[in-house]
Amino acid sequence: MQDWLSQNEDNFALIDGFFRADILREQTSEDNIPVLIVGPQFYRLGGFDKRRVMTTLDTVYGITESGKHPTIILKDWATKRQIGLFTRDGLQIE
């Protein structure tokens, strides 16, 4: 994850690349909890890279760090069903 951030001058452009590649599809919230809709390419990533994507996103935006939003809910792009959670402790896929 640190490699990805150190190799990119603009961390937001790196995150935008995840969206362009359809790894991530949409950011929203439900009941004031951050929700990330993952795209079909998310499923093609191995577990290590899924964790790296989520850790990178969290590092850039500081979502779980603030204490205000300790959890990010992950949902599938097609079914809108919850597929996992990301917290300070890491990624948990259901």
Side-chain angles (χ1 to χ4, degrees), residues 49-68:
D49 283 332
K50 286 176 183 168
R51 288 188 297 277
R52 283 176 64 178
V53 165
M54 291 306 301
T55 302
T56 299
L57 178 106
D58 188 45
T59 299
V60 170
Y61 287 105
I63 299 167
T64 63
E65 214 174 89
S66 70
K68 192 173 167 185

Side-chain angles (χ1 to χ4, degrees), residues 1-87:
M1 186 264 320
Q2 288 300 336
D3 289 341
W4 287 355
L5 293 175
S6 67
Q7 293 172 9
N8 287 276
E9 292 181 22
D10 183 352
N11 293 335
F12 296 106
L14 174 62
I15 300 299
D16 189 49
F18 296 154
F19 283 91
R20 281 194 318 272
D22 213 13
I23 294 168
L24 305 177
R25 177 92 34 119
E26 180 184 348
Q27 289 176 303
T28 185
S29 69
E30 293 177 4
D31 298 324
N32 222 16
I33 299 170
V35 175
L36 188 62
I37 309 296
V38 301
Q41 298 306 318
F42 182 82
Y43 297 105
R44 294 181 180 263
L45 300 175
F48 179 72
D49 283 332
K50 286 176 183 168
R51 288 188 297 277
R52 283 176 64 178
V53 165
M54 291 306 301
T55 302
T56 299
L57 178 106
D58 188 45
T59 299
V60 170
Y61 287 105
I63 299 167
T64 63
E65 214 174 89
S66 70
K68 192 173 167 185
H69 305 291
T71 302
I72 302 169
I73 296 172
L74 280 75
K75 291 192 173 187
D76 179 76
W77 64 279
T79 65
K80 304 297 189 235
R81 293 170 130 174
Q82 183 172 324
I83 62 156
L85 300 171
F86 183 82
T87 67

